[in-house]
Amino acid sequence: MSVRTRADLDQLPAYVAGRTVPGSIKLASNEVSEGPLPSAVAAINQAAGEVHRYPDMGVGRLTEALAAKYDVPVERIAVGCGSVALCEQLVQATCTADDEVVFPWRSFEAYPIITQVVGAKQVRVPLTGEHALDLAAMAAAITPATRLVFVCTPNNPTGTLLRRAELEAFLDRVPEDVLVVLDEAYFEFVTDPEAPDGVEIAKRRGNVASMRTFSKAYGLAGLRVGYTVAPVEVAAALRKVCIPFSVNALAQVAAIASLDAQDELRKRVANVVAERERVHRELVALGYEVPETQANFVWLPLGERTAEFNKHCLDNRVVVRAFAGDGARVTIGRPEENDAFLAAARSFRRSAR
C-alpha cells in the first residue's frame, strides 16, 4: 500500500513562476530590475550577523511601522510571507468546504489554487472585453455561500485599474458579511488620480481588507513580506492561521528600512512609470492591442498566437510570462532590457504580416 493523499489534489494546477533562462533578459516575474532599495541592502547587511536568532514571530516592529504609516491601530495589521501567503491565510480564515470564493479571471493565478487547497468552491468571473474586472458580474456572482471576494487592482496580468467611483458602487452591493480583499500588489506604480486607495477604503468599511507587498516596487521579492490592513477580527484570524516565524528576520529589517526610504522609492517608481509609458506607446505604434496599464508590466492579449510569441521572444533571449491561449505579460525592466523586448516584438510583428 502507498500513502494516501487527497485525491482532489491530483487536479490541482501548479503555480507557475516566471522562467529564468541563463543568458536571457527576464521580464516574466514583475520584479524590479534595479534590485532592493539601497537603504534596505544596508539594513540586511547589518542584520545578517543575527540570523542565528529566531525572528520576532509577531513581526512587532514592522507592524508598528505600518500602523504609523497608515494611521491605523496595530490590531488591524497582519504581516505575512508575501501577499500570496496572506491570500491563502484569508481563505483559510474565512472558508470551509461549504463556502465560495469569488474572483475575476484571468487574474492572479494563485486565487484558484489556494481556494481549491482549502476545499472551497471557486467562482471565476470573466473579465470584460477591455480586459478589466467586470464588477457588475462579480456582484451578481455573490451568493449566500460567498465568504470572500478577491478584487485585484491593478489586475495581474492585464494591468487594468478600477476607478474609485466604480469600486465604491460595487462595495455598496456586497453583503456586510462577505469580506472583500483589495489586492493592491502594484499600488505604488499607480498614477491615475481616480485610482482608489484600498487602505483608506478599509478604514471606512467593516468588510474590506487592503493587501500590499514589498515584493514589487520595494524590490524585496526574494525575502517574501506582505501585509494587510483589515478589520480587527480578520487580522486576528490571519495571525492565528499563519505559520510561526514565516516572516524571517532579514525580511523584517529590510521592510522597515524600505518604509523609511520613500525618496528612493519615488525615484524608482518614476523611472518605471516613464518606461511603462514608452513601452506601451511603442507597442501600440507597432499595431499591438495593449490595454491601459497602471502596473509595472504590459499585457498583450495574443490569444492563440501567445505560444508562438513566447517562443519568438525566447529565441531573441527575452523571457516573458505566457498564458497559453490568452496572452503574454511583460515586465517593465531597465531601458536596455525594454529595448531588447521591443526589438523582439517588432520582428514578430513583421513576420506576422
Side-chain angles (χ1 to χ4, degrees), residues 44 57 91 96 111 126 144 151 189 218 230 237 242 273 281 283 285 316 335:
I44 292 168
M57 193 173 79
V91 179
T96 69
Y111 296 155
V151 176
F189 299 108
Y218 288 101
C242 75
V273 168
R281 185 170 57 248
L283 287 171
N316 284 270

Side-chain angles (χ1 to χ4, degrees), residues 283-303:
L283 287 171
V284 171
L286 288 170
Y288 286 94
E289 177 190 358
V290 189
E292 168 212 34
T293 177
Q294 285 282 297
N296 70 327
F297 55 84
V298 292
W299 171 249
L300 283 71
L302 296 164

